[in-house]
Each structure stands twice: as C-alpha cells, then as structure tokens.
Amino acid sequence: MSEPLVLGIETSCDETGIGIVRGRTLLSNTIASSMDEHARFGGVVPEVAARAHLEALQPSIDAALAEAGVTLDDLDAVAVTSGPGLAGALMVGVGAAKGLAVSLGKPLYAVNHLVGHIAADILTPDAEPLEYPTIALLVSGGHTSLLHVRDLTTDVELLGETVDDAAGEAFDKVARLLSLPYPGGPEIDRAALEGDPDAIRFPRGLSRASDLAKHRYDFSFSGLKTAVARWVERFEADEANQGTAVPVADIAASFREAVVDVLVTKALAACADLGVPRLLLGGGVIANRRLRQVALERAEAAGVTVRIPPLSLCTDNGAMIAVLAAELISSGRGPSTLAFGADSTLPVTEIQVAEAVPA
C-alpha cells in the first residue's frame, strides 16, 4: 500500500485532534480544544478533558472527513494515540478508535504520542525528507523530552526528560504567579516583549557541573518556578518597593530566557556529543518565538540544521498520529491487535503498541 489513507485520533490531553492523510500528504487537520473550559482552573482538569473529548469526537470526525473529501469507507486504516498522556482522555480516543476500526473492518494502529510529534515534520510542505539520525527536542504542556531518532518507525531512544514540571507547566504556573491568564505560554511571551531578559538571573535547572554527570540531558523547571515566586515575594516585601508594581515584563522575559537557555543548551549538547548535526523541534511550546529564535541562532553557530514543523502541527493533533501510522504501513508493519489500552506512561521506545504477530 504505497499511499495509505489514514484517519488519526489524538486525545492525550485537552485537544481532540482528528487528522486525515494520504501517505505523506495532509488532507485535513481538525482540532477541537477544551482550553477555555480549563482556564478558570488555571490548568487542565483530566475529568473535564475526558468529557470534552466525548462531546467533540463525532463532530470532529465529521468535519475532518468533509474537509478531506473522503468517507469512512474510503479509509485504509485508523490510527490512535495509545499514550503517553492523561489516562481518562486517552481512554476516550482508544475506545472510539477501536469501535471505528471494528465497525469498518479496517486495520488499527496504536501509536506513541511523542513519536507522533516527530512524524509531524513529514507533513511540512515542500520540505526535504527528514534525515537520520536526528536529535528531537519535544516541548509541551505535559512533556519535555530529548530524543535520539535513528529511524522514525523502529528506533527512537530517550536521552533525557523532565524530572518534575514540564516546560509548558512551568509557563502556566509562573503566569499564575504574575496574575496572567491561562494558558501561560502565549501570555508570558507577550509580556516578555516589553521586558529585559537580562534583568534577573534566574537559575538554570540541572545545569551545574555536579548535575550534568547524572542528568546531562534531563530537565527541571520546578526550582525555576519557585525562584520566580521567591523573587516576587522579596520584591513585594521590600519597603523600598512600596507603591511600585511588580515588574511583570522583566520577570516574564528573564524567566523565559532561563527556560529557553536550558532547552537549547541541552539539545545542542546532545547534537555535539552524538555527532548529529540535525535538530528537530516539536510540541506546543515551540510556538514560543524566543525559543525558535535562540534555537536557530545558536544552532547555526554550532553547524546544526534545525527543522520546525508548521506551528499548526506542533500542538497535539490527529494528523501527526495518522502520518506516523502511514509510515508504519508503508514500512510493512502489521496493524495493532485490540489487546491494548490507554497507557499514560508509554515509553517513547514503544513506537507502535500491540503489533499483530504474523501467523
């Protein structure tokens, strides 16, 4: 099957993503976000997310099919995120995909959410094919991971990940400290435009020599979040600052610079250590303009080529799940059996889940 027509379902967090691809060609990318429902809580509430997926799935599938100009009977396969992610949210997508595949008599591919973010690059219009090996830095609300990708469908190695808060979580929590709306990433990005990134030297987690021996490629943003909170507390308690507003712009810019510095430094260290002159950026936090700017500038100086999928494909979406399955199909991989469930801690090394064993 040279160019399989695949529908992908993504429900790992707060976005219901339905994507349809024909081989490496994007036909539709429908996303229904429940972000507004979580805003009053200042973060994603798993139960709210799961219910929102239930309500959005059928309309999203209908919209994706209409945009692609195909019917369910036209499909060659169905794909779904098995994990990692929020267990309840994943269950909705897994259940829907199994029901859809069985009712249509179509093969089902259960795939890894994180590897899907790498696969999104395949859908970049007019781009050269992704070369291997490559280093991938995935940064989102729930994940901050550094990967060594030797082959998209067979060999992805986890180099490091966050040991506490993901970068996106840190943005949300610091935004709350600064009385900025949820989601925090875009709000801090906007506030930082008027600030000085060198105004405050916030700590760079797991970057000291003593940390690098054990955590060279790991990330930690919890301490940074706490450092921002303590700085604000000290500023407000200082009598010399009475009547002076907290310098939100400078704090936002300095915080953002600390996050970006750590992300880019560790990613480029992996490129240098492993001799890989290629870096792929993925995940929703890649929408941060300063992260893209610094990554491109420092990578060019280091002789590293940077690839960034279209921003519409960086956030969680069904198209990346569909194209990963299409790649698996084209490489000769069999479908998944129905003996899989939602796996909130699915390791990145499991690119496909429950692949059927040939008789």
Side-chain angles (χ1 to χ4, degrees):
M1 194 183 300
S2 57
E3 289 195 311
L5 182 66
V6 184
L7 180 146
I9 299 175
E10 155 61 33
T11 63
S12 67
C13 192
D14 63 335
E15 288 161 322
T16 307
I18 306 297
I20 299 175
V21 304
R22 188 180 297 279
R24 296 182 173 184
T25 302
L26 177 64
L27 301 183
S28 65
N29 183 30
T30 299
I31 299 174
S33 175
S34 59
M35 185 180 298
D36 291 345
E37 298 178 48
H38 303 284
R40 63 193 179 102
F41 302 105
V44 176
V45 180
E47 293 81 358
V48 173
R51 180 170 291 279
H53 288 311
L54 279 170
E55 296 172 350
L57 259 173
Q58 189 61 59
S60 297
I61 291 173
D62 292 341
L65 291 168
E67 182 182 355
V70 299
T71 69
L72 288 175
D73 289 333
D74 295 329
L75 298 175
D76 294 311
V78 175
V80 66
T81 297
S82 177
L86 301 174
L90 289 166
M91 287 178 191
V92 176
V94 167
K98 286 183 178 181
L100 190 60
V102 170
S103 68
L104 296 172
K106 306 291 185 179
L108 174 63
Y109 285 78
V111 301
N112 191 295
H113 170 83
L114 295 180
V115 183
H117 275 298
I118 305 169
D121 179 80
I122 296 172
L123 297 171
T124 302
D126 304 319
E128 293 294 321
L130 180 63
E131 291 184 62
Y132 302 110
T134 189
I135 301 299
L137 174 65
L138 306 181
V139 192
S140 67
H143 305 282
T144 304
S145 307
L146 195 57
L147 312 174
H148 187 193
V149 185
R150 299 183 188 88
D151 183 88
L152 181 67
T153 60
T154 63
D155 192 355
V156 178
E157 176 190 3
L158 177 66
L159 297 176
E161 60 186 343
T162 183
V163 299
D164 42 53
D165 289 348
E169 286 180 282
F171 272 97
D172 289 339
K173 291 176 180 179
V174 169
R176 197 179 312 148
L177 285 170
L178 300 178
S179 299
L180 296 174
Y182 174 85
E187 297 298 330
I188 286 181
D189 217 14
R190 277 190 281 271
L193 290 174
E194 305 298 324
D196 178 4
D198 298 317
I200 308 163
R201 176 68 184 184
F202 286 125
R204 273 66 170 160
L206 296 182
S207 296
R208 295 176 300 184
S210 57
D211 296 319
L212 293 177
K214 184 179 180 181
H215 295 287
R216 183 163 181 77
Y217 305 127
D218 289 325
F219 303 93
S220 172
F221 298 107
S222 181
L224 171 58
K225 170 204 65 184
T226 302
V228 174
R230 296 294 174 266
W231 194 95
V232 172
E233 288 174 1
R234 288 193 298 270
F235 181 91
E236 293 177 331
D238 190 337
E239 293 185 3
N241 296 324
Q242 297 305 307
T244 303
V246 171
V248 171
D250 284 346
I251 295 171
S254 299
F255 162 76
R256 183 181 68 172
E257 199 69 11
V259 174
V260 168
D261 187 18
V262 170
L263 291 172
V264 175
T265 296
K266 290 189 176 250
L268 291 179
C271 289
D273 294 346
L274 298 171
V276 178
R278 290 172 289 276
L279 175 63
L280 170 67
L281 305 180
V285 178
I286 301 304
N288 186 285
R289 69 195 78 189
R290 182 60 178 163
L291 175 54
R292 298 197 307 276
Q293 177 188 4
V294 172
L296 290 168
E297 289 174 354
R298 289 173 57 178
E300 182 179 10
V304 173
T305 301
V306 176
R307 296 176 68 109
I308 306 174
L311 295 184
S312 62
L313 295 173
C314 284
T315 56
D316 294 348
N317 64 86
M320 69 186 193
I321 302 306
V323 76
L324 176 54
E327 291 293 296
L328 290 166
I329 294 168
S330 297
S331 67
R333 298 281 288 273
S336 300
T337 69
L338 296 180
F340 74 92
D343 188 345
S344 60
T345 59
L346 183 69
V348 72
T349 50
E350 289 192 46
I351 300 166
Q352 180 186 353
V353 179
E355 182 182 2
V357 178

